[in-house]
Amino acid sequence: MSAILSADDLNDFISPGVACIKPVETLPLQKPEENINPYEVTTEDKVPVQDHAPAQISLTDCLACSGCVTSAEAVLVSLQSNAEVLNTLNTYPSLGSQIDAKGQPLHGTSNGKIFVASVSPQVRASIAATYDISQRRAGWMIDQLLGGPSGLASGGVHRSGFSWIVDTNAMREACLVLGADEVSCFSPSFDNNEASSSGQPRKPILSSACPGWICYAEKTHPHVLPHLSRLKSPQALTGTLLKTILSQRFSIRPDQIWHLAVMPCFDKKLEASREELTDLHWRPSSPAQEPPASPTRDVDCVITARELLMLADSRGISFPSLPQEPLPASSTSPFPDTSLDAFLFPHRQPHPRKKRRRHNQDPSAGPSGGYLHHILQSQLALHPNSTLQTTRGRNADVVEYAIVTSSPSTHPNTLAFSKDQEATTTTNGVAAQAPDPSQNTILFRAARYYGSRNIANLVRKLKPPKPRRLPLAAKNPSSSSSAVPAASAGAMAGYAYVEVMACPGGCTNGGGQIKVDDVGPVAQGVGQKEWLGRVDEAYYSMSDDDDDDDDDCPGSCSSLEDHPELGQEQEEKDRDGKDDDSGPIVNGIDVRDVRQMLAHWSESTGIALEKLCFTTFREVKSEVGKADKGRAAAQQDRVVEQLAGKIGGGW
């Protein structure tokens, strides 16, 4: 989806010859006139006589269509905008004032909502580049806008703000660990036909965190769907966590929790509209509870970095004037689960042993979450004597990786290494001299494809070859050219994982990010490529920000005096030996800590991790134009019959 998908620069012009497939169910039935669809833009001589109500096209309808319903993908956005955020805050009173640390049930709150938000690191990097500050300080400004006394809560009908603002890096760590597990489940003798029967994705597994890539695959290339990772994205996983835990702890309905996600990409609006990402797929079945009239989304609204600034302007708040410091203790509430509070908000934990910093990835991981990087580091940890070789493709957005070993390997799934291109070699993350390729065997192969053109090449490589239709081939099934395995991955059969992102350069270049033309004098004389370099620099500098800003936090962060119940519960866990030493650290992530969090989440909600963390994808079909094609085919058959009769061939 292009960057034009914004509430400020839309048009509702439907291109001629392209019909919207959304049925208009609320209008009275009209007598059809000459099979003319009154909601289809046609030529001037076929303009409908009667006036009809305008067709409303929501983001869900756009997601369900297999073609562009508007010129330049401009869709009428009725929800998921900065205006919708203000409307919701003005419509429903906040339940934040009734929240306590122990998660007591909230009574008499049928008309209120708990407002929660999640913010991606790419958005913080865009804000940081715009105001020439560190990413950490940019995050503090966003927190002040959403949950601080000088932010959204300073105005409006109910003076409502957001009770919790979660960094999506937290659930990104869970996605990385689960993604590595998904890849490592492949046995040495794994066959793609086994994946079809077991429900696992086929090799190579394709990342599924980019909704633009998912829309493209579902609408145009269904043959790649069996390869998609079943993992939810960090945005979706964060929404599921917040809705399940808060609804259970406060004994309220999931629709009383309103989740706002601030993301770098407009396509994240489409992801939030997916039916698969609603409470229908995870809520426990209980005969005592009647199902709601409609499913409740895990993410209710998505806005981008640009729309975040528009949100501040709409409420009359000067975003650059917001305090560049953490929220005061009076504006924060501990999460109603101490284990999850320690995982989601490690920077404000009062207990020194649970206080840790969460960092972004290093530049080698890329600006899109580091899925492939974490999987490679996990594979290197499994093979201590292996080396990582990197080969650049035809452009910077195509990179191939191979984990190789120079010693004779007994691994039954190794491949001979025969790369002619110059490769960068690392040994367990440290640069090393490339060994002799003739003596290498490949233990693991992966790749990275960013951008639409490169994705088109990837999809073409994944398309299985068509079987030959020769008569002799049908009579000789044993012939090598007679049949092609149904689970073939084409030219990518030797790869285990591919990280796919629709935006060239990755998620820091998302369509909703602040562009160089938006900042005016701040980036005078700076091109878009150089501006993107500044955003990337801010994204990768998160680790440096931690050391520089540590002195600013203690005066404002939570302490034992503010929430003594947290310290008491943590001390009890220490006495029980539940939080002794940290587990294995892979790519800077405590893997055991993440696994314990996931197990605790599943156990406390009574919902299996399969329902909480995984989703499904489906082929999107459209009936648009099929009737016309049928009539055209019938007419063509009549022409052929006439020609055949004229030449005496008969039919």
Side-chain angles (χ1 to χ4, degrees):
M1 188 66 67
S2 66
I4 202 171
L5 184 58
S6 174
D8 284 356
D9 50 1
L10 292 179
N11 63 76
D12 57 355
F13 174 73
I14 300 179
S15 302
V18 181
C20 176
I21 67 174
K22 176 176 172 60
V24 183
E25 302 172 350
T26 58
L27 298 179
L29 295 177
Q30 301 287 340
K31 183 178 179 180
E33 298 179 5
E34 301 179 359
N35 295 326
I36 295 179
N37 183 355
Y39 295 97
E40 179 178 355
V41 176
T42 59
T43 55
E44 293 182 358
D45 58 340
K46 294 183 179 181
V47 176
V49 178
Q50 299 179 357
D51 294 332
H52 296 270
Q56 297 295 322
I57 304 170
S58 69
L59 290 170
T60 304
D61 304 323
C62 177
L63 184 62
C65 181
S66 63
C68 296
V69 297
T70 62
S71 61
E73 299 177 320
V75 180
L76 180 61
V77 181
S78 58
L79 293 176
Q80 303 198 54
S81 64
N82 54 297
E84 178 64 19
V85 177
L86 295 181
N87 291 337
T88 304
L89 291 175
N90 290 332
T91 303
Y92 301 96
S94 174
L95 302 179
S97 59
Q98 304 182 37
I99 293 173
D100 63 2
K102 297 182 180 180
Q104 296 295 330
L106 303 178
H107 301 288
T109 57
S110 59
N111 191 38
K113 289 183 182 291
I114 295 179
F115 295 102
V116 292
S118 57
V119 183
S120 75
Q122 290 85 1
V123 169
R124 294 195 301 270
S126 185
I127 297 293
T130 300
Y131 297 106
D132 194 22
I133 56 177
S134 67
Q135 184 188 159
R136 186 170 178 79
R137 293 183 178 275
W140 288 341
M141 295 175 69
I142 297 174
D143 292 348
Q144 293 284 354
L145 173 65
L146 298 178
S150 58
L152 298 177
S154 62
V157 177
H158 302 288
R159 295 188 175 273
S160 299
F162 288 81
S163 300
W164 291 286
I165 300 99
V166 179
D167 181 2
T168 58
N169 269 335
M171 298 312 292
R172 178 185 62 85
E173 290 185 359
C175 291
L176 296 183
V177 172
L178 291 172
D181 292 344
E182 192 176 38
V183 174
S184 62
C185 286
F186 289 142
S187 62
S189 58
F190 181 85
D191 186 82
N192 272 342
N193 292 316
E194 298 179 13
S196 301
S197 58
S198 63
Q200 293 180 332
R202 297 177 181 175
K203 294 178 63 176
I205 295 180
L206 309 178
S207 64
S208 58
C210 175
W213 148 243
I214 295 301
C215 286
Y216 174 72
E218 287 183 327
K219 294 178 181 180
T220 60
H221 298 288
H223 67 275
V224 306
L225 299 184
H227 296 275
L228 292 177
S229 169
R230 302 298 189 260
L231 270 177
K232 292 181 179 179
S233 69
Q235 169 186 297
L237 201 59
T238 302
T240 305
L241 175 72
L242 295 173
K243 295 272 179 130
T244 53
I245 294 295
L246 295 178
S247 62
Q248 182 193 70
R249 292 304 172 93
F250 295 119
S251 300
I252 59 178
R253 302 186 310 272
D255 62 346
Q256 290 185 271
I257 303 161
W258 201 79
H259 176 206
L260 169 70
V262 188
M263 293 290 144
C265 178
F266 287 112
D267 286 329
K268 286 295 184 179
K269 299 172 184 281
L270 300 179
E271 176 185 309
S273 301
R274 295 182 65 91
E275 182 182 350
E276 294 85 353
L277 301 178
T278 63
D279 64 336
L280 282 178
H281 297 267
W282 54 256
R283 70 178 176 218
S285 57
S286 175
Q289 294 180 352
E290 295 184 2
S294 60
T296 300
R297 295 175 179 175
D298 294 339
V299 181
D300 296 280
C301 184
V302 177
I303 63 173
T304 62
R306 281 191 288 170
E307 290 174 316
L308 183 72
L309 300 184
M310 294 161 54
L311 176 65
D313 292 338
S314 300
R315 187 53 70 85
I317 300 172
S318 174
F319 191 89
S321 301
L322 290 171
Q324 297 181 18
E325 60 185 21
L327 289 173
S330 59
S331 299
T332 61
S333 300
F335 204 70
D337 186 296
T338 53
S339 297
L340 293 177
D341 186 76
F343 185 81
L344 296 176
F345 307 101
H347 60 279
R348 69 183 193 190
Q349 292 307 305
H351 199 276
R353 293 184 58 189
K354 297 301 294 182
K355 186 174 182 177
R356 63 185 180 90
R357 295 298 187 199
R358 178 169 283 120
H359 307 293
N360 282 347
Q361 299 288 311
D362 56 65
S364 61
S368 302
Y371 291 85
L372 175 58
H373 180 74
H374 182 80
I375 290 174
L376 292 173
Q377 294 301 315
S378 300
Q379 292 294 321
L380 287 172
L382 293 175
H383 306 284
N385 296 324
S386 61
T387 59
L388 175 63
Q389 296 195 349
T390 304
T391 304
R392 175 174 169 171
R394 61 176 59 189
N395 54 61
D397 284 333
V398 177
V399 185
E400 297 184 357
Y401 302 88
I403 296 179
V404 303
T405 176
S406 57
S407 59
S409 175
T410 58
H411 199 290
N413 199 34
T414 56
L415 303 172
F417 182 75
S418 58
K419 282 285 184 183
D420 298 330
Q421 299 96 328
E422 183 179 357
T424 302
T425 305
T426 61
T427 302
N428 293 334
V430 181
Q433 184 177 0
D436 184 5
S438 62
Q439 300 179 1
N440 290 341
T441 53
I442 294 182
L443 302 175
F444 186 86
R445 176 177 286 179
R448 184 181 76 186
Y449 280 74
Y450 288 178
S452 58
R453 292 185 179 180
N454 295 325
I455 290 177
N457 293 332
L458 171 66
V459 170
R460 186 167 55 251
K461 292 179 180 180
L462 286 171
K463 193 171 185 178
K466 295 182 179 180
R468 295 188 178 183
R469 300 181 179 275
L470 298 178
L472 293 179
K475 296 180 180 180
N476 186 16
S478 61
S479 174
S480 60
S481 61
S482 62
V484 176
S488 172
M492 302 295 292
Y495 291 79
Y497 187 85
V498 182
E499 183 178 278
V500 186
M501 298 291 166
C503 292
C507 293
T508 51
N509 191 30
Q513 296 284 75
I514 301 171
K515 305 300 182 183
V516 65
D517 296 334
D518 301 327
V519 295
V522 177
Q524 188 174 3
V526 177
Q528 179 61 31
K529 185 175 181 179
E530 184 180 351
W531 175 255
L532 180 59
R534 292 187 182 182
V535 178
D536 287 342
E537 182 181 358
Y539 176 80
Y540 295 128
S541 65
M542 182 63 177
S543 298
D544 299 333
D545 296 344
D546 289 341
D547 298 333
D548 295 339
D549 297 323
D550 275 345
D551 295 337
D552 298 333
C553 186
S556 302
C557 294
S558 302
S559 63
L560 285 172
E561 290 77 8
D562 298 324
H563 307 294
E565 68 281 351
L566 294 179
Q568 294 174 2
E569 186 167 340
Q570 185 61 52
E571 290 176 1
E572 292 176 0
K573 289 185 177 182
D574 290 339
R575 287 195 299 268
D576 295 337
K578 295 181 180 179
D579 290 320
D580 293 337
D581 298 327
S582 61
I585 305 298
V586 178
N587 187 30
I589 298 175
D590 189 336
V591 177
R592 190 176 71 174
D593 186 35
V594 173
R595 296 190 194 281
Q596 289 177 346
M597 182 278 297
L598 293 172
H600 172 76
W601 178 19
S602 176
E603 181 181 356
S604 61
T605 57
I607 306 174
L609 282 179
E610 181 70 23
K611 292 185 176 182
L612 293 173
C613 302
F614 297 88
T615 184
T616 57
F617 306 98
R618 84 283 190 201
E619 179 182 0
V620 178
K621 297 181 180 180
S622 172
E623 300 296 329
V624 176
K626 289 187 178 181
D628 295 336
K629 290 181 180 179
R631 289 194 295 267
Q635 183 178 1
Q636 185 177 6
D637 289 341
R638 288 194 296 270
V639 173
V640 172
E641 291 177 9
Q642 295 174 0
L643 293 176
K646 289 181 179 180
I647 63 177
W651 209 257

